[in-house]
Amino acid sequence: KNSLFFLKTHSTMQTINGFSFTDDKNTLGAIYIVRDPRNVASSYANHYNTSVEQSVKDMISKTYLKGMKDYQDFEENVLTHLGTWSDNYNSWKELEKSNKYLLIKYEDLVTDTNEVFHNVLQFIGNLMNKNIKIDYNKFDNAIKTTSFENLQKLEKENGFIESIKYNQNDNITFFKKGIQRDWKDSLPEKLIQELEMNFSKEMKEIGYL
């Protein structure tokens, strides 16, 4: 089709039993958003209403999401292979070899939103061999309406399906802390060391260590 489609996924770009999740022939490109795993751990724990110990265990093991066969919601039946935090990150880097890969640090997305958004649009334009003309009214409005503060406000006023689906506790929200989340305050030293030991290579590569 002569148009652009976006697919948001948590899956690794892996091959299982000879079947690839995708490859550079079937994917125009990948925009990969990565976040400091020490902050992912506490955010994951909040989202799934579990302990930080369990979230760290999940992140360093080959884990998956959903896939509950007897669940009535079809989306919950679909198994998403996450892999480990490092497996997931490394798998999508394969597209870098064909210049189809853009890495975005979550922290930069929050602190340098305009620049990162520009980079995303330029990346998409390059993939499509098109010169994207930016409408700056839409550009600014997109940033304004998707700011963490505004999304937090909308969740408070209208609720959010991710929070409703996985949590029965009214005190648990999806848009909780964002960039203000600090692993130094929320993770025990033992878990910090465990994450840094398991993901040392990738965290140094990205600049988290």
Side-chain angles (χ1 to χ4, degrees), residues 173-188:
T173 58
F174 184 84
F175 299 100
K176 190 175 181 67
K177 291 186 177 181
I179 195 63
Q180 295 178 7
R181 183 176 294 282
D182 190 350
W183 51 268
K184 297 171 188 172
D185 298 330
S186 56
L187 284 185

Side-chain angles (χ1 to χ4, degrees), residues 11-15 20-24 27 30 81 87-88 91-95:
S11 177
T12 57
M13 197 180 83
Q14 65 180 332
T15 299
S20 300
F21 179 79
T22 189
D23 53 39
D24 61 359
T27 294
H81 292 275
D87 286 344
N88 200 294
S91 71
W92 287 97
K93 276 170 46 182
E94 285 298 308
L95 290 174

Side-chain angles (χ1 to χ4, degrees), residues 33-40 85 104-113 116 178-179 181 183 206-208:
I33 302 176
V34 68
R35 189 180 187 184
D36 190 320
R38 294 166 295 192
N39 276 330
V40 172
W85 181 88
I104 293 176
K105 291 172 70 173
Y106 170 85
E107 296 79 7
D108 293 339
L109 182 60
V110 175
T111 58
D112 300 310
T113 311
V116 171
I179 195 63
R181 183 176 294 282
W183 51 268
I206 299 167
Y208 290 137

Side-chain angles (χ1 to χ4, degrees), residues 11 16 64-68 74-81:
S11 177
I16 299 176
Y64 55 88
L65 285 176
K66 305 183 181 182
M68 294 179 282
F74 173 74
E75 290 183 5
E76 298 299 318
N77 292 334
V78 179
L79 184 67
T80 300
H81 292 275

